[in-house]
């Protein structure tokens, strides 16, 4: 197979699996929501619901505002999705298989998550409307607070692997998963990951107290693309936590891809449940929490794993 | 292609933006539990505009503006709820009226499907297609013309500077948060000045100070002013009110699924105190609302003393309750529930505890009648006296409460105060325009 | 190198795909927006000024702190790769660096740079 064919196959495969996982995330979100609300929902209805919503959104007109920044508004959902896709590309799905096995995959991942902030800010800035703007600036404050713990906790998983490449990190988990070796790691990563995907307790840019926030002026196909991109980031967080903490493709009998998919879905369920059971945080409280609690805990995680390795 | 998409989209939940007019509050909440509908918080996300009840005259232009902001395909539906005026049909050309016995949700679903299949044309604008801010300026970016930042690019002026408390002079945004802003009660219009996301000042535009408003009081409380009513019915109505408010608050804080659970409890015909307490324990235990409401919107008890403010006063530590002097309640061993902190956290716990207490009283009361006829009744929002309601004293406290708060905290404060929806007194404005 | 090229391909591919989907949506729904439809949603009244303004970003002090920690992350990435090889020396040196920065966080916390309302 020529390298070009392999590359194209990789990109298409990545896009396809990301699309499937995004769809499943939407389905699971509905199912979990109805379970928490103690309302009945048939599985057949749940499986078709995201498709129906998408069809309805495709048939709806795109909203425009006075003197908006049209190019940035068009770019924002695409940038969010591209950042999410690039971050998933470094995650291995087999012993020597990743779409892009970058030597410093971890650094690339954190950089892609940082792009999420840019995309959300653009999305809030472009409509030239008050509620999206406030949502955008709020999110920047929160992102600056969770970015460092997220990177530190991932860095701790790189210590035993002696490499920043994600496949090396997965390889280094053949004796013991990182979730056991570094117990602080996964909870902190999930908490900050919710912020990266602005989901649940950290859904500050698209919040209900801002009538939808950055989403308030969006309708039709752009709204569908934005929600899909947001779920793509959530899937990326789940996939990275599966790879860095839960052993990635490791597992008996089933092929590596299937194990990665199952672990990703399991983490997705946890993230979606957190979205339904935890209230939205206050901006300032989270900033203080991020700097005074999360960063010291992440540093403890890093240095403790370092000491245990020596 | 479009037909296939329309077929696929036919069973998706219908997004509706509700304008809840007079008499509509309780009925609209019932729609939230219907899985065929989805009530959205921005008109851009909606396909159908549901006008429920009667729209007062002052809300008509905001309603027309909101209608214009909805994307196509769209249609307006009017749910009269017993009000007769035909003026809405005159202003909203093409509005679909829901007949008395029809199922509103079925009408909405039918209309949505007709819109998607293009069997029904989308409603055109009701406002003239005139740019509200016609372009002035000389250059291609709206620049040029009179003055520099005194100029008006694309017709609207830019924000100007004002001093801020940390010494930086940056821009402030004057925001008129209108009658149909989802976190606020319907009809409340606030004029806010925000620098960044901090509110420098807040002013209540509507209701005008001193204007009386009945709010959406359950009729059983109004009946209790004049005659003896069954205690159980009164307490159940109180619990229903508090649970509906709780659902709204949970929705505001992002807990939509738990809000559905609270609303189901509110709409259930017979719900026990145990279920309500279980929900309360879940809310407390999952830390769900602690970080969102602790220390937010503290109202000191000195500002509330002597005013008929019900749960808000009791959550600040004042044990004022009109039920304490009623012999029927005393026979059941009623004592008012209080909390100490006076913040949003205390207020939602207060209302949850009062709802559970009300259901317990209802269970134990049997056929007991309220002594009634005194002309004073403890309504869910405070003490109600015969002779009409006055404007809520909380509205006077609002500017001082909201000034200096961050946007999310300010909105959380307003939600926690459970202000009544603002409606003009019947007969004051005559027909609804 | 090839791996970075693959990441770029994925990035650009996703970007292009989403832009094409948006364009396709515009083809399906070409209805232009009228003037009343373009007014931003505030709750029923039109806005008095443009929303774009010199927004008071009150967390600027915290942003400076973030800058310091971002630079620290730049140093920690290569440190993580050579840590096991270098042993206790690497641990102690990074620990000293981090302690200085954590003292910075504590100072910022005390000076209320992390709160602004």
């Amino acid at each position: 197979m020529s390298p070009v064919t392999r590359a194209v196959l990789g990109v298409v495969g990545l896009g396809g699996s990301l699309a499937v996982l995004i769809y499943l995330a939407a389905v699971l979100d509905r199912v979990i929501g109805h379970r928490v609300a103690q309302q009945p929902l048939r599985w057949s209805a749940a499986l078709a619901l995201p498709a129906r919503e998408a069809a309805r959104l495709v048939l709806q007109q795109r909203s425009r505002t006075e003197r908006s920044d049209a190019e940035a508004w068009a770019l924002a959902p695409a940038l969010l999705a591209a950042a999410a896709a690039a971050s998933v590309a470094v995650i291995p799905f087999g012993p020597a298989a990743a779409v892009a096995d970058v030597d410093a995959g971890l650094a690339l991942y954190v950089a892609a998550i940082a792009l999420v902030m840019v995309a959300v800010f653009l999305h809030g800035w472009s409509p030239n409307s008050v509620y999206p703007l406030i949502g955008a600036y709020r999110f920047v404050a929160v992102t600056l607070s969770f970015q460092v713990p997220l990177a530190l906790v991932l860095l701790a998983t790189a210590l035993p692997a002696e490499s920043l490449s994600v496949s090396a990190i997965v390889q280094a988990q053949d004796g013991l998963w990182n979730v056991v070796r570094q117990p602080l790691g996964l909870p902190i990563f999930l908490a900050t990951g919710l912020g990266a995907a602005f989901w649940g307790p950290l859904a500050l840019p698209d919040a209900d107290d801002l009538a939808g926030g950055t989403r308030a002026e969006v309708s039709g196909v752009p709204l569908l693309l934005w929600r899909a991109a947001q779920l793509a980031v959530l899937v990326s967080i789940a996939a990275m936590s599966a790879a860095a903490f839960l052993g990635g493709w490791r597992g008996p009998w089933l092929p590596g891809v299937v194990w990665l998919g199952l672990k990703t879905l399991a983490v997705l369920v946890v993230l979606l449940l957190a979205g339904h059971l935890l209230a939205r945080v206050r901006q300032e409280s989270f900033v203080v929490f991020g700097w005074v609690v999360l960063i010291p805990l992440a540093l403890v995680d890093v240095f403790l794993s370092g000491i245990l390795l020596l | 292609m479009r037909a296939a998409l329309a077929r696929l989209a036919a069973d998706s939940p219908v997004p509706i933006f509700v304008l809840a007019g007079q008499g509509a509050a309780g009925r609209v909440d019932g729609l939230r539990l219907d899985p065929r509908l989805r009530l959205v918080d921005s008109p851009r996300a909606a396909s159908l505009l549901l006008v429920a009840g009667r729209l007062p005259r002052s809300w008509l232009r905001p309603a027309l503006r909101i209608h214009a902001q909805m994307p196509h395909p769209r249609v307006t539906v009017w749910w009269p709820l017993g009000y007769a005026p035909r003026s809405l049909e005159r202003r909203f050309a093409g509005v679909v009226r829901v007949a008395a016995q029809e199922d509103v949700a079925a009408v909405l679903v039918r209309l949505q499907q007709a819109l998607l299949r293009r069997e029904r044309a989308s409603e055109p604008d009701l406002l003239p297609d005139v740019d509200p801010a016609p372009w002035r300026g000389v250059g291609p970016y709206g620049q040029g013309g009179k003055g520099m930042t005194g100029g008006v690019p694309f017709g609207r002026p830019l924000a100007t500077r004002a001093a801020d408390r940390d010494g930086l002079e940056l821009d402030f945004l004057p925001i008129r948060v209108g009658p149909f802003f989802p976190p606020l009660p319907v009809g409340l219009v606030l004029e806010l000045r925000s620098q960044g996301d901090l509110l420098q000042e807040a002013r209540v535009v509507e209701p005008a100070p001193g204007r009386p408003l009945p709010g959406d009081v359950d009729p059983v409380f109004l009946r209790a002013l004049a005659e003896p009513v069954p205690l159980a019915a009164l307490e159940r109505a109180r619990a229903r009110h508090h649970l509906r408010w709780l659902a709204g608050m949970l929705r505001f804080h992002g807990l939509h699924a738990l809000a559905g659970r609270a609303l189901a409890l509110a709409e259930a015909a017979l719900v026990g105190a145990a279920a309500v307490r279980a929900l309360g324990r879940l809310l407390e235990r999952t830390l769900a609302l602690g970080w969102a409401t602790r220390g937010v919107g503290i109202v000191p008890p000195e500002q509330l003393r002597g005013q008929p403010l019900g749960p808000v006063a009791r959550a600040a530590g004042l044990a004022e309750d009109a039920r304490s002097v009623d012999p029927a309640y005393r026979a059941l061993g009623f004592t008012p529930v209080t909390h100490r902190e006076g913040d949003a956290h205390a207020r939602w716990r207060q209302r949850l505890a009062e709802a559970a207490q009300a259901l317990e009283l209802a269970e134990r009361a049997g056929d007991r009648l309220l002594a009634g006829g005194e002309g004073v009744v403890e309504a869910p929002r405070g003490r109600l006296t015969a002779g009409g309601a006055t404007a809520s004293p909380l509205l006077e406290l609002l500017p001082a409460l909201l000034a200096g708060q961050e946007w999310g905290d300010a909105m959380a404060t307003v939600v926690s105060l459970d202000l009544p929806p603002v409606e003009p007194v019947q007969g004051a404005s005559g027909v609804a325009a | 190198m090839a791996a970075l090229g693959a990441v770029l391909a994925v990035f650009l591919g996703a970007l292009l795909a989403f832009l094409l989907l948006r364009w396709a949506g515009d083809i399906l729904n070409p209805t232009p927006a009228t003037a009343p439809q373009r007014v931003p949603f505030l709750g029923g009244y039109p806005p008095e000024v443009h929303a774009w303004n010199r927004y008071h970003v009150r967390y600027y002090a915290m942003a400076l702190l973030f800058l310091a920690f971002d630079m620290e992350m730049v140093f920690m990435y290569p440190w993580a790769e050579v840590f096991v090889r270098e042993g206790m020396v690497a641990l102690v040196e990074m620990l000293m660096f981090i302690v200085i920065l954590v003292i910075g966080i504590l100072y910022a916390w005390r000076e209320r740079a992390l709160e602004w309302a």
Side-chain angles (χ1 to χ4, degrees), chain A residues 166-220:
Chain A
V166 188
S167 31
I169 293 176
V170 177
Q171 289 279 13
Q173 292 182 67
D174 63 358
L176 203 58
W177 286 359
N178 275 333
V179 68
V180 183
R181 271 200 290 221
Q182 300 169 0
L184 281 172
L186 191 58
I188 296 180
F189 186 70
L190 289 180
T192 51
L194 281 172
F198 51 102
W199 193 264
L202 290 164
L204 281 143
D206 284 1
D208 297 288
D209 61 352
L210 283 172
T214 66
R215 275 193 282 118
E217 306 285 350
V218 188
S219 72

Side-chain angles (χ1 to χ4, degrees), chain A residues 71-92:
Chain A
E71 296 86 11
W73 212 1
L75 193 61
L79 193 61
L80 190 65
S87 65
V88 175
V90 300
I91 298 178

Side-chain angles (χ1 to χ4, degrees), chain B residues 3-328:
Chain B
L5 283 173
R7 234 189 349 261
L8 187 59
D11 281 330
S12 67
V14 180
I16 61 177
F17 190 80
V18 180
L19 305 180
Q22 198 161 11
R27 308 294 297 274
V28 167
D29 269 337
L31 288 180
R32 285 186 196 277
L33 288 175
D34 197 318
R36 296 171 290 177
L37 306 175
R38 198 158 56 92
L39 274 69
V40 294
D41 48 12
S42 167
R44 307 269 190 209
S47 290
L48 276 72
L49 189 68
L50 179 65
V51 182
R54 187 193 77 142
L55 276 191
R57 189 200 309 266
S58 53
W59 296 0
L60 217 51
R61 271 209 87 82
L64 288 173
R65 286 195 199 98
I66 291 204
H67 174 267
Q69 285 168 344
M70 287 171 58
H72 294 283
R74 65 187 181 201
V75 86
T76 315
V77 179
W78 182 29
W79 194 13
L81 288 175
Y83 287 95
R86 305 179 52 96
S87 45
L88 195 81
E89 285 169 331
R90 205 168 56 229
R91 287 300 281 274
F92 276 83
V95 68
V96 175
R97 187 182 173 138
V98 176
Q101 300 306 328
E102 266 187 297
D103 177 21
V104 179
V107 172
L108 294 168
V109 170
R110 187 168 39 84
L111 284 170
Q112 158 93 326
Q113 291 174 355
L115 278 178
L116 290 173
R117 286 196 292 260
R118 287 198 160 168
E119 290 161 11
R120 191 192 174 86
S122 175
E123 278 180 6
D125 279 346
L126 300 167
L127 292 172
D129 187 5
V130 169
D131 196 339
W135 184 56
R136 291 185 278 277
V138 176
Y141 302 103
Q143 82 276 28
K146 286 207 261 202
M148 205 166 72
T149 48
V152 275
F154 291 92
R156 283 204 200 281
L158 287 172
T160 48
R161 291 195 295 183
D164 199 352
R165 64 186 185 194
D166 64 355
L168 287 173
E169 268 203 27
L170 290 169
D171 292 341
F172 73 90
L173 285 179
I175 311 171
R176 185 170 279 230
V177 180
F180 304 115
F181 185 60
L184 297 182
V186 180
L188 183 67
V189 178
L190 295 175
E191 179 80 43
L192 303 170
R193 261 174 68 128
S194 85
Q195 271 184 311
D197 59 359
L198 210 77
L199 298 181
Q200 300 296 82
E201 77 184 47
R203 197 169 60 88
V204 178
V205 174
E206 270 207 39
R211 214 170 73 176
L213 21 115
D216 58 345
V217 184
D218 195 303
V220 67
F221 292 100
L222 296 172
R223 265 204 342 263
L225 284 170
E227 59 188 36
V229 295
L231 204 140
L234 202 73
E235 290 304 310
R236 283 198 192 282
R238 184 191 315 278
R240 206 162 36 237
H241 175 103
H242 285 321
L243 284 171
R244 278 215 197 100
W245 171 85
L246 192 75
M249 186 207 63
L250 290 171
R251 244 189 330 270
F252 171 83
H253 285 288
L255 299 169
H256 293 260
L258 290 174
R261 213 195 275 197
L263 206 57
L265 285 179
E267 301 288 321
L270 251 85
V271 61
V276 174
R277 287 205 202 279
L279 182 65
R281 275 197 303 273
L282 176 66
L283 291 178
E284 296 246 18
R285 217 188 308 138
T286 61
L287 274 189
L289 295 172
W291 58 51
T293 50
R294 246 183 256 274
V296 173
I298 299 181
V299 185
E302 301 79 53
Q303 291 177 0
L304 300 168
R305 209 174 289 276
Q307 288 173 350
L309 284 172
V312 175
R314 289 195 284 276
L318 303 169
E320 295 171 355
D321 196 324
R323 289 175 285 174
S324 317
V325 299
D326 193 294

Side-chain angles (χ1 to χ4, degrees), chain A residues 90-272:
Chain A
V90 300
I91 298 178
F93 49 84
V99 174
D101 190 10
V102 181
D103 283 336
L106 217 60
L108 196 99
Y109 188 86
V110 178
I113 297 296
L115 264 184
V116 168
M117 176 179 85
V118 176
V120 175
F121 184 79
L122 276 182
H123 201 234
W125 169 266
S126 326
N128 194 2
S129 169
V130 179
Y131 303 141
L133 192 71
I134 297 180
Y137 276 103
R138 278 205 310 203
F139 185 61
V140 171
V142 162
T143 299
L144 295 180
S145 308
F146 72 67
Q147 197 80 16
V148 175
L150 187 129
L152 282 174
V153 146
L154 281 181
L155 207 73
T157 65
L159 288 174
E162 297 187 54
S163 163
L164 288 174
S165 125
V166 188
S167 31
I169 293 176
V170 177
Q171 289 279 13
Q173 292 182 67
D174 63 358
L176 203 58
W177 286 359
N178 275 333
V179 68
V180 183
R181 271 200 290 221
Q182 300 169 0
L184 281 172
L186 191 58
I188 296 180
F189 186 70
L190 289 180
T192 51
L194 281 172
F198 51 102
W199 193 264
L202 290 164
L204 281 143
D206 284 1
D208 297 288
D209 61 352
L210 283 172
T214 66
R215 275 193 282 118
E217 306 285 350
V218 188
S219 72
V221 170
L223 184 61
L224 174 65
L225 294 177
W226 181 253
R227 283 161 66 172
Q230 184 187 12
L231 282 174
V233 180
L234 200 67
V235 166
S236 155
I237 294 286
M240 183 48 130
S241 49
F245 295 98
L246 297 174
W249 48 259
R250 293 190 171 277
W253 314 313
L254 298 169
V257 191
V258 178
W259 271 120
L260 185 65
L262 287 176
K263 291 174 193 177
T264 306
L265 283 175
V267 177
L268 260 179
V269 168
V270 173
L271 290 173
L272 295 171

